[in-house]
Every structure is written in C-alpha cells, then in structure tokens.
Amino acid sequence: MTDPNDLSARNLAAAIRSGRMRAQDVIRSSLDRVARENPAINAIVQDCSADAMREAEALDARIAAGETVGALAGVPVTVKVIADQKGYATTNGTTLAKDLIATEDAGFLRNMRAQDAIVIGRTNCPAFSYRWFSSNKLHGTTSNPHNPALTPGGSSGGAGAATAAGLGHIAHGTDIAGSIRYPAYACGVQGLRPTPGRVPAQNNTGPDRAIGPQLMAVAGPLARRVDDLRLGLEAMSGYAPDDAWSTPMPLIGPSLARRVALVKRPGGIDTDPRIIADLERAAAILRAAGWQVDEPTEVPDIREAVDVQIDLWLSDAHSDKLAAAKLEGDPGAIALLSFYEARAKAIDVAGFSALFTRRSRLIRAWRAFLVDYPIVLMPVSSELPFAQDEDLNGPEAIARLWEAQVPQIGIPVLGLPAVSICSGVEAGVPCGVQLVAPPWREDICLEAGEVLEAAFGLHSPA
C-alpha cells in the first residue's frame, strides 16, 4: 500500500472515498507513526486512538454501503488542547483545567467531522497559550522535530511539531499573536491565520472571552502542503450560531491586482540576513510567476498595532491573568505577565477605550494600503527560531523576543488573514516568509503561497 503519509490530504481522501484505501488502514498507519515518532517530541498529549479507529470503521462501512462521504474522508487530523472536543479535557496546557471535559465539539471541529475528518490526537501548548514555546506542568515539553535545541513555536507548538513529524495531515491551531504562524515557521511547515469570524471557535466549556481575544483570536490549519491548508480551511469554516463572531463569507472573492509589497523590515525590525535572502528569493519567484513586486517607501504603522494588541490581550484583566498564572505555578506565564505588569496597571478606563479608536485608524490605513497591494510579503519573525524556553532567561530576553515578533503580533489587531510559508530547512534550522492579504481573502494568500511552495521545492503534489 502507498504510504498514506506521502499523499496530500485531498488525494488521500479521494483514495478512501473510491475504496482504493480503507480508512481503518490509513488511521492504523497514522497511529503506528504516532507511536513511533511522538515519544521523542511529545507533540500529541491526549490520545484519541480508540475513538479514531471506531470512526474509521464506521466510515468504511458507510463507503461500502455506497453513501456519499465528505471532502476529508478518513484524513487524520489533530486538535489543540485549547479547543473543545467531546469527551476530552480542554486543558489549554494547565493543571487548573485538567478535568474540564467537553460535552460537545467546538464549531470548527463539528464542521471537520461533517467532512469525515478523523482526530488521531490532541496537541500541546504552553500554559494558557501565552508563549512562543510549548511546555507546561500538565503535559510536559514539546520538542522541535528538526532540532530539539529550538522551540517548536507556540502557542500551537504541538500542532506544528506533529505536522512536521507527519502525525496527521491537517492540524488545528489558534492564533492571537502568531500562534499558528510561528509554530509553522519554527517547524518548517505551512500555517494559515484566517480572518476573524471565518472559522467558528467558541468553546462552550468556559465563559465568553474578554473583548480583545474575541476580536483577535482565530482558529486555523497547519499542514505540510498549501493545498492541505486550503482543504483544511474549507472544512473548518462555516456559520455557527453559537459563535458570536461567526460570519458566513465566501471562500473565494473577486479577482484582485497581482501586486505585492515587499516589506523586509516592518516597523524597522532588524531582520536576520537569511530571512532577508528568503524574502528576496520569494519576491523573485512571484515576479517570475507574473506578479508585480514593489518595495514601497511608505507602509502603514505596525508598531502601534503591536502596542494595541498587547493592551487588548494582556493588559485587560491583567491582575486576574497573573493570579491564575501564579496559581498554576507556570514560570513562562508568570514571566511574561510580570514583564507587562507595570504597563497594565497604567491603563485606566479612558485609556482602554482609546485603544478601539486607535485600532480603527490602523485598520483603515492597512485596508487602504491593501487596495494597492493585495499581498504584503514580510518576515514571520526578525530572527530564526528561538532556542527552547529562551523566554525564561529574564526580562531582557523577553523584550528581545517580543521585538522579533513584531510582524506577527501586529496582524491580529488589524483583522487580516496571513500565511506562513516554509522557505526551507538548513542545518536543522527552518525558515519562512509571511504573506498578508485583505480581510476574507485567504484565497489570495493561498494562491501566492502555492507559487512560493512550488518554487521552494518542498513538496510534490502527491
């Protein structure tokens, strides 16, 4: 039998639908791979194997009976432990929530199951999903499959590591400050942050989130191939009445000018020479494919977007967040929240209200820019992937890491979709570039990303 792991998600589902492969064989092969590869990286931290095999058997029976099955028929997927999955704890990497068992699936997972995807495991994240590193007291530390000295990223580090190791074709992740894009970058895979409202992500195990996360946090896919991202997005998306921000927008929009703004140092960051070289290589690839690529001298502010993002997310109810981190006893969460404690205390009601006025102005500026340049090509980070748990080295380290992540942190507050595209892995160190598009235009991100993927030569269309 062809190794299912060598096929794209689309081709694998087609083989299962046609009867050329059995879902049970595919899922058994995937679970065997998890058993071999996962102990070394600890990406999957909740076992779904028994449920997965039952679902595969039921799917095979439906196919044998001639029933129509979905676009992800039998495709193995993973879900981050931040999300509700019926019968499993929505831990968000904390001991405080180790017994918080979901009684129903989150909206994106309902949608994926409707397309007959099969969950083979649930993936790790840092406590409270605050960090670009994935370790916690409950589930342990996730390692980067390419290099254990490097972070797998965070907060969807388990998703990135699982994807890179071939543990599932499509991984669910979440992104409020880069938590899909950075693990994809750090693990040498592809990761899509959709427009807020595109993918329903409400968790009914807990209360509604504060306004900042409601505005900026999204769920989306990670995968080894851009077309798998596309298929994952199609499956995850769809209107969900239990999600206050769910919006039934079409997945494909009208044609746009094939114009790209190359921004090597957004916000004046000191971008690493290898990343600069990959950005220039990406620009040349897009030009050769017929895209116009310019380096505009004036680009809307992204640093103020970072400031607004930090205050809407971390400063709001900061004392409650810090108290929970201390109760959990997680050093990474405590270090990050302590770093921003004075800043949070300085914000009063008027200052918090002013954040929304600033956000509106920034959104308008970026939307106007994206009319002229429907794609912005920029770094994911100014640095190559960080050393494992580097943020535990003191305030100076935290300041440097957050400076490096300016290109990621600013995008969520602007309400824009973005994709991280792997440009290669050299000496065990992955690298990549970021593509940003107008709201609801993930299709343009994926189109340009596929051009880059083909020329970077990372995957065949199998």
Side-chain angles (χ1 to χ4, degrees), residues 270-281:
D270 184 16
T271 309
D272 184 275
R274 178 178 162 193
I275 301 169
I276 293 286
D278 282 352
L279 288 166
E280 291 173 344
R281 187 157 57 109

Side-chain angles (χ1 to χ4, degrees), residues 37 45 85 169 222 224 243 276 278 280 283 291 327-328 334 337 348 362 370 396 401 405 408 425 427 440:
E37 305 293 336
V45 294
Q85 180 178 338
H169 278 62
L222 296 88
R224 282 168 287 152
D243 187 314
I276 293 286
D278 282 352
E280 291 173 344
W291 296 66
L327 184 61
E328 177 66 21
I334 293 169
L337 292 167
D348 57 13
L362 290 162
L370 289 163
E396 296 81 6
L401 301 183
Q405 306 295 60
Q408 291 171 68
V425 181
W440 310 111

Side-chain angles (χ1 to χ4, degrees), residues 104-112 114 196-204 208 219 234-249 440:
E104 58 186 315
D105 291 337
F108 78 88
L109 184 53
R110 293 197 302 268
N111 293 343
M112 295 185 84
R198 170 73 77 190
V199 175
Q202 171 72 19
N203 276 336
N204 291 322
D208 286 331
E234 291 168 0
M236 289 180 173
S237 301
Y239 178 68
D242 61 343
D243 187 314
W245 298 92
S246 182
T247 307
M249 291 290 288
W440 310 111

Side-chain angles (χ1 to χ4, degrees), residues 42-53:
N42 193 41
I44 291 176
V45 294
Q46 289 181 345
D47 177 25
C48 302
S49 57
D51 286 341
M53 287 305 301

Side-chain angles (χ1 to χ4, degrees), residues 305-316:
V306 171
D307 287 342
V308 172
Q309 197 275 358
I310 291 170
D311 288 336
L312 282 177
W313 176 32
L314 295 179
S315 296
D316 187 21

